[in-house]
Amino acid sequence: MRVNKKEALRYLGFSQLEPDSQTEAILNACLPALENAAAFKYTLREFPIAVSENSIMLNGDVIKSRALSIHLKTCTHCLLFCATLGSGVDTLIKAYSKTDMPACLVLHACAASLLESAVDNVQDELRQAYAKRGLCLCERFSPGYGDFSLSYQQTLLRILDAAKTIGLSCTEKSMLVPLKSITAIIGITNSEPTTNSRGCSSCTLNKTCLYKKPAIENLN
Amino acid sequence: MDFRDLLLTSLLFFDGAMGTMLQQAGLKPGEIPDCCCLKRPEAVRAVHEAYLEAGCNILKTNTFGANSHKLAGSGYSVSEISTKAVELAKEAIAAHKGQQHKFVAFDVGPTGKLLEPLGDLKFEEAVSLFGEAIYAGAKAGADLVLIETMSDTYELKAAVLAAKECSSLPICATVTLDKNERLLTGGELSAVVALLEGLGVDALGLNCGLGPLEMLPVLKKLRKLSSLPLILNPNAGLPKFENGKTVYDLSPEEFAALMYKAAAEGAQLLGGCCGTTPAHLKALVLACKGLLPKKPEYRALTVASSGIRAVYFGASPVLIGERINPTGKPALKQALLAGETDYILKEALCQQALGVQALDVNVGLPGLDEPKVLLDTVKSIQSVCGLPLQLDSANPKAFELSMRHYNGKPIINSINGKKESMSQIFPLVKKYGGLIVALTLDENGIPKTAEGRLKIARSIVETAHKYGIQKEDLLFDTLTMAQSAEDDNARVTLEALRLIKNELGVKTILGVSNISFGLPNRELLNSAFLMLALGAGLDAALINPYSAKMLDAFKSAALLLGYDPKCAEFIKHYSSQSAPDAPKQKPKAPKEALYYALKHGLKTEAAEAAACALETEAPLGIIETALMPALNEIGMEYENGSLFLPQLLLSAEAAKAAFEQVHKRMDKSENADKGVVVLATVEGDVHDIGKNIVKALLENYCFRVIDLGKDVPKEAVLEAVALNNARLAGLSALMTTTVPSMEATITQLHKCAPECRIMVGGAVLSEGYAKKIGADFYGKNAMAAVHYAQKVYSS
């Protein structure tokens, strides 16, 4: 499992520019510790869903979100998915926050990028597996996107039994712990998936965001 | 027959999966299986009956999730489900005609929440959650408690303590490992065994996560680490994802064949977890028919642990860092009195980086509430550092509190041969587990002879035994005395060390620094004494790892005594040390050099340049004419986008190094302090990177930052503002769900401390949103926060 350095640098603000040599040196120095501390784990499960205008019905639970409904409008099933880098990364980042803030910041960015690429890899494998059955997967959609409330973290984690299977739970205020973790719903459809709703171009902050990807990468 | 007696003689069979069986009977994913005890008791009883029919001895009650956190909103109470669950298992046993021994294990699974410091569940809350269920289960007549599927040593400890406090039943405990043979929270197998044996459970082992094939090699390791009967409750293979579902695909015969091997390798209690069925268990019982258990062997290990790893004493000598002790360290004293944990954490992490294997923690200072401060210090060190800790105190109350909350099996420093000392500490060790440093002195003082010290050691071993504490849980300290006081001192200490080791077969520890008291060139003497002590067989040394001479002495002695196979460590350490770099081309004038160093984030150079500038200019002058202008310029470059955040923080670190030099030269009357800022990540929020960045920069600009950390209740913010007369508080929140906490904190602050301005920041906030919730200022980045702080304190 490797960190995508380019993505990590983008999180640090170097989206269009070359990083300075020191930042790059810190990044290279941090990577072994991070890759050693990270224990990527995920779990998932498929469910039939019923999509209506403002909500979806899944495993007997109703999830109210217009954005999610639009995203899943052609789907009959979905995958509930969650993943984490584990608590070792949290401890590492916290230790660095006491001794070396620049490295701590860089570690944050590297961990975020590591998680994203690990999840992307899993998703690619799933996409191929489902393609064999003539099915397409939508992009993942997580609590916190649009009007899909963070309070659904609890619901998703409960259905997946995530605390037991991968050690992922959430706090009273619906924060995932360990911190570098993801939960998501991935729609399954037998028609073309809805337009990409993950890229920068579809985001409401796309005019002002500091972390926006350069236009060329943003095409996908 | 009694369960504990049977453990001495027999193979015993746990049942298999409950959840899998209930799902086959229609339970949905995410639905709480425990509620079936009351909703569909016949289904639960049928599962029990099927496992008894398969020949199992121990039924696990359907109470894996029976705690008030998981049952919230289910409409059922923990005690009614727990009671009913035990009744159902007992009914099944009463109705069953089979001849095997039959027991009801009250099943305890994890809370489903992550404990502090990783999550937000408090340790004592976890103990109560577990205790409530275990109390009900024991009262309803369970024969033993099975704590299972634990993936965090801290939660495991909470559950075992609850079982000890709410029942007197035998305790079995099993953990779940991943493919790397670690807990989900990173703990190693050795740490789990050290903790559980320290707490005195009756049997331990593994369940869930892996199949029997993957558990076999772990079982072999467990056998070497543990003296207890071992439990193996694997899944029916590794989970596979097929057609949208998780499946386990070992057949009953395959499962039984592998489990037979496990029994032959020393697993004494065998059963199954996810995916196993009565058919699997029937095949297992049949396969093991007539097989006698391979009984556990006493391993006689001397061990301490953290939540991550264990340290063994007796093989190569163990180094323990002694720096967290206020005696003779004014900066640490100051940090303890002011409650500045960061300073202590840095000390912990720096010692760890130098290679010590455990840390001594002493916070004894007049005027401090030692039990509370030791507890807080231990908890915060454990949140960043995986080394086992040596709790160092003379206060039994301090020991009790921190032993209870310590994650792992701590080292207790110390007891001695006095009756009072032993009677206070041994019961605590029996309850919480611990490795005890025992000083060879008693009511009559320190014996002058080695034989005298041996006599005390012998009496300590005997008394410990009466409390049920083995001699392996004692580390003897034969007491280092100042050589300047008596010519025989070093010789007697070393002779006592040899004698006690040989006569009693125990492990030893020494603090070495005392030897040189009152003499010149102390480091030289300390390192020589360390080498002699290691030569005499010392097992653990308490040293100052910042002393290169001590580390050199240790590494050399370890090599010469044969503890460094093929001299590998020594070669690795010393061949990589290259000659210092040639001096680089640097700007000549000190202030220019300082600016250059800050701009390029060069810490050492910044400190040097500051020291140099201080030779000709006053400290305050340097701050105003060199440091501040340089920082301002760098800040501007960051704001206009030509520098990025990592570079800004590098400059901040360099500036900090320069400030340290400047502060050293300042008189008490001089003060560069620009004012106090209280910072906090609001209650419920656990993301603190933004707040930490703001803190680093504010400190650069000479603001005194009171950092309250993350998940901070509004009361704590109010208290800190009032206590420090702060005119500015900064609050951060990352998620929409915690903005209401921010708003509540602001409202309260405006009400109770109207003179205090409030700035806010965080990913979900905006200028408009910040206004709406009543903040005085929204900082879009860390520099904006600095500018606002300057504005507040200049008005």
Side-chain angles (χ1 to χ4, degrees), chain A residues 46 130 133, chain B residues 241-246:
Chain A
E46 186 186 305
Y130 275 89
R133 291 159 58 189
Chain B
F241 187 69
E242 273 172 19
N243 296 328
K245 269 194 189 151
T246 305

Side-chain angles (χ1 to χ4, degrees), chain B residues 53 179 426 555 757 759:
Chain B
E53 206 46 46
K179 286 180 202 160
F426 284 157
K555 289 196 171 83
R757 300 295 101 208
M759 60 179 177

Side-chain angles (χ1 to χ4, degrees), chain A residues 20-42:
Chain A
D20 64 302
S21 58
Q22 269 183 300
T23 303
E24 205 162 11
I26 295 178
L27 193 143
N28 290 328
C30 286
L31 289 185
L34 173 65
E35 284 167 358
N36 185 34
F40 176 71
K41 290 190 175 64
Y42 69 92

Side-chain angles (χ1 to χ4, degrees), chain B residues 370-437:
Chain B
E370 193 185 342
K372 184 182 178 299
V373 177
L374 185 62
L375 173 68
D376 292 347
T377 308
V378 163
K379 275 163 90 173
S380 38
I381 293 176
Q382 290 209 299
S383 75
V384 295
C385 171
L387 296 181
L389 301 183
Q390 171 162 300
L391 312 173
D392 183 355
S393 173
N395 181 337
K397 285 247 153 45
F399 275 133
E400 178 160 22
L401 198 58
S402 40
M403 284 168 80
R404 183 175 177 86
H405 290 263
Y406 179 82
N407 184 0
K409 178 185 176 191
I411 309 171
I412 309 303
N413 187 14
S414 58
I415 63 129
N416 55 52
K418 293 180 188 166
K419 288 208 169 58
E420 192 193 10
S421 167
M422 293 191 277
S423 67
Q424 280 172 336
I425 305 301
F426 284 157
L428 295 177
V429 172
K430 188 69 194 151
K431 178 164 182 191
Y432 297 113
L435 174 59
I436 308 157
V437 175

Side-chain angles (χ1 to χ4, degrees), chain B residues 13 58 87 127 152 221 299 318 406 454 484 618 623 637 736:
Chain B
F13 299 96
I58 311 168
E87 282 169 13
V127 176
D152 171 8
K221 290 177 196 164
R299 297 295 171 194
V318 172
Y406 179 82
L454 170 65
S484 56
I623 294 178
E637 288 182 42
T736 44

Side-chain angles (χ1 to χ4, degrees), chain B residues 16 194 264 385 436 480 518 593 621 623 695 729 781 794:
Chain B
C385 171
I436 308 157
T480 304
I623 294 178
K695 175 188 175 190
N781 59 35
S794 66

